[in-house]
Amino acid sequence: IGAIALVFLIFYPFLYFGHLPDEIPMHFNGRGEADGYSGKAGIWGLVAIALGTYLLLWYINKSPHLFKNNQVKITAENAFQQYQLSTRMIRITNVVMISFFAFIVYEIIQIGLGRQETLPSIVSYTFLAALVLIPVGYLIVNWRRYKP
């Protein structure tokens, strides 16, 4: 899913960049209304931030032994399970992040093309809820597995 969102995120702006007006919305309030604008090249800044975030999380996921913020002491007996759980959390977070960025880029282009007027406000709240629930879920699973 993350790879599909990443490909979409990179290629969709290429398809529509020439059709966008010179100024497009880049910031939205809680109701999904545009309250900040940028030149259309600003869409590439958003793509760059998304790509950088994706690559950073991908790199972190490849080095679980570097994680220093574990709830339990890593031992030879629990290392595999701890690293597996941690990397799963990072992979899920990465998919959520890149999917959110892809959706936002899609919506900004749709608004720029005049096909819609606002960003669905539920999107921001859903994204924030996911970013809170993923680590909370990780903490709960880890706590249940390794109760003190």
Side-chain angles (χ1 to χ4, degrees), residues 20 50 55 128 132 148:
L20 290 172
L55 292 174
L128 291 174
V132 169

Side-chain angles (χ1 to χ4, degrees), residues 7-147:
V7 169
F8 177 84
L9 176 73
I10 293 169
F11 288 105
Y12 191 72
F14 275 114
L15 294 173
Y16 289 98
F17 189 77
H19 303 287
L20 290 172
D22 291 336
E23 188 175 74
I24 59 172
M26 289 299 287
H27 191 270
F28 299 86
N29 64 22
R31 293 184 302 273
E33 301 162 340
D35 62 1
Y37 294 83
S38 170
K40 67 180 181 179
I43 199 80
W44 297 115
L46 192 57
V47 170
I49 291 169
L51 184 58
T53 302
Y54 183 86
L55 292 174
L56 178 65
L57 288 173
W58 177 82
Y59 175 76
I60 291 170
N61 186 58
K62 297 295 179 192
S63 307
H65 59 282
L66 298 177
F67 298 170
K68 301 296 182 199
N69 192 18
N70 293 300
Q71 295 173 280
V72 297
K73 181 172 174 54
I74 303 297
T75 65
E77 293 81 30
N78 71 8
F80 177 77
Q81 292 85 9
Q82 284 295 307
Y83 293 154
Q84 185 179 41
L85 190 59
S86 297
T87 58
R88 183 176 298 134
M89 179 191 68
I90 291 173
R91 287 191 312 270
I92 291 169
T93 301
N94 210 2
V95 167
V96 168
M97 293 287 292
I98 201 68
S99 298
F100 178 73
F101 275 112
F103 182 77
I104 294 299
V105 165
Y106 171 80
E107 292 292 321
I108 287 172
I109 290 172
Q110 293 302 303
I111 293 168
L113 295 173
R115 296 180 181 165
Q116 66 189 57
E117 294 184 16
T118 62
L119 184 69
S121 58
I122 191 72
V123 172
S124 297
Y125 300 118
T126 303
F127 173 69
L128 291 174
L131 288 182
V132 169
L133 292 175
I134 291 168
V136 167
Y138 165 78
L139 293 172
I140 290 170
V141 168
N142 206 18
W143 181 77
R144 285 185 178 168
R145 276 191 190 171
Y146 301 101
K147 289 182 184 177

